Amino acid sequence: MNYHVLTLFPEMIMQALGTSIIGRALEKESISLEAIDIREYTTNKHKKVDDTPYGGGAGMVMQAQPIYDAYQDLERKIGFRPRVIYLTPQGKVFHQGMAQEFAKEQDLVFLCGHYEGIDERVLEEIVTDYVSIGDYVLTGGELPAMVLIDAISRLVPGVLKNEESAQFESFHDNLLEYPQYSRPEEWMGKKVPSVLLSGHHANIEAWRREKSLQRTYERRPDLLESAALSEKDKKFLDNLRNNTCK
Ligand code: ADE
């Protein structure tokens, strides 16, 4: 997976993603990352990349020319028309399914806006996906781009140490993850559930499934509508519902 981030703050991207698991993946070359400074493409002699909005109003608008030229240079380099994700609160709200879909691409381009937005004409020309990370407004698209890069990268083969671990966790089957425990067996008077110490794999699996179902029911019941549930799961949830209604 090759990421290309079009931004006015390239150092913000490179610094934040250079550490931890993503940093290690970059070193191992499971993924690659370049931050392209939009300002380097401006034809304005003062290096200006924004101007006031036509029709009036507050703030500044990022101009089309430097963004388009930066994109064209990139497209030429990649050799095909890549998916271009524009981070905006007006986009589709990001979820795990979208991360899985984006993880299939060979190259992904992220366009980060600032100020009051970007000239609509260049968006029409290059953007393929409008993506939001939630219903709140941030000062720019860099943090959302990094959120997407993090979520997508951990699905790219070779990025996580144990490739299996991306599959059995929160949002697998649209269920939340079961609770986890480690040493010691007792902490502050709280004991680790005995089934986890039993060594009985089938019982442990069954317990974990029930905890996942219970947790999702309590914390994110909206997820259950699209969860993959067996008849046994459904019975367990019916029981939970009956007990909580009493
Ligand atoms: N840019 C500003 N706010 C944003 C948000 N919530 N999601 C994506 N991009 C943004």
Side-chain angles (χ1 to χ4, degrees):
M1 169 66 76
N2 306 306
Y3 300 113
H4 315 269
V5 184
L6 298 167
T7 172
L8 289 173
F9 301 95
E11 67 290 349
M12 188 173 168
I13 301 288
M14 297 314 286
Q15 266 176 26
L17 292 175
T19 53
S20 189
I21 294 173
I22 305 303
R24 209 183 55 207
L26 286 166
E27 269 175 31
K28 281 197 298 182
E29 297 182 5
S30 308
I31 57 172
S32 79
L33 170 69
E34 63 166 344
I36 299 158
D37 190 349
I38 293 167
R39 198 177 296 278
E40 295 203 344
Y41 287 85
T42 182
T43 51
N44 179 283
K45 62 174 185 274
H46 304 294
K47 289 254 170 200
K48 234 167 77 89
V49 288
D50 59 341
D51 210 330
T52 52
Y54 278 119
M60 301 290 268
V61 175
M62 283 171 71
Q63 291 165 291
Q65 176 273 316
I67 294 172
Y68 191 62
D69 288 1
Y71 169 75
Q72 283 218 304
D73 200 23
L74 178 57
E75 190 189 299
R76 221 174 294 124
K77 220 172 56 186
I78 297 175
F80 62 91
R81 210 178 166 137
R83 258 172 117 159
V84 178
I85 302 166
Y86 175 44
L87 290 314
T88 166
Q90 296 180 14
K92 190 172 166 199
V93 179
F94 189 59
H95 58 76
Q96 190 67 21
M98 286 161 81
Q100 276 158 356
E101 193 198 317
F102 288 139
K104 294 178 193 153
E105 300 291 326
Q106 183 191 305
D107 288 81
L108 283 174
V109 179
F110 295 91
L111 174 58
C112 305
H114 259 266
Y115 316 120
E116 292 308 305
I118 295 181
D119 190 308
E120 191 67 20
R121 293 166 296 182
V122 70
L123 298 178
E124 287 169 6
E125 221 34 63
I126 70 171
V127 173
T128 58
D129 300 85
Y130 292 78
V131 177
S132 165
I133 61 159
D135 292 337
Y136 41 83
V137 182
L138 301 165
T139 56
E142 283 76 11
L143 284 170
M146 291 193 272
V147 166
L148 264 68
I149 289 171
D150 191 285
I152 296 163
S153 295
R154 51 192 298 293
L155 303 175
V156 172
V159 169
L160 294 186
K161 277 204 178 128
N162 175 5
E163 265 185 45
E164 304 267 282
S165 59
Q167 289 180 11
F168 299 95
E169 58 184 16
S170 289
F171 299 112
H172 180 61
D173 282 353
N174 235 25
L175 293 176
L176 300 185
E177 197 185 8
Y178 47 79
Q180 296 275 23
Y181 302 86
S182 186
R183 271 183 256 281
E185 266 183 53
E186 187 174 330
W187 178 78
M188 300 255 286
K190 290 165 175 267
K191 291 197 168 122
V192 172
S194 57
V195 62
L196 300 178
L197 310 173
S198 68
H200 193 300
H201 291 298
N203 286 355
I204 292 172
E205 281 306 299
W207 181 88
R208 286 181 163 167
R209 185 73 184 178
E210 288 186 356
K211 286 293 168 192
S212 276
L213 291 163
Q214 184 185 351
R215 196 156 260 205
T216 311
Y217 171 72
E218 286 167 359
R219 298 183 183 181
R220 290 291 308 276
D222 56 300
L223 292 177
L224 288 173
E225 279 162 40
S226 28
L229 300 174
S230 67
E231 285 309 310
K232 198 171 161 211
D233 294 336
K234 286 179 194 160
K235 262 195 202 130
F236 177 78
L237 284 168
D238 282 343
N239 261 337
L240 268 186
R241 282 191 195 102
N242 291 337
N243 287 334
T244 41
C245 288
K246 270 180 204 159

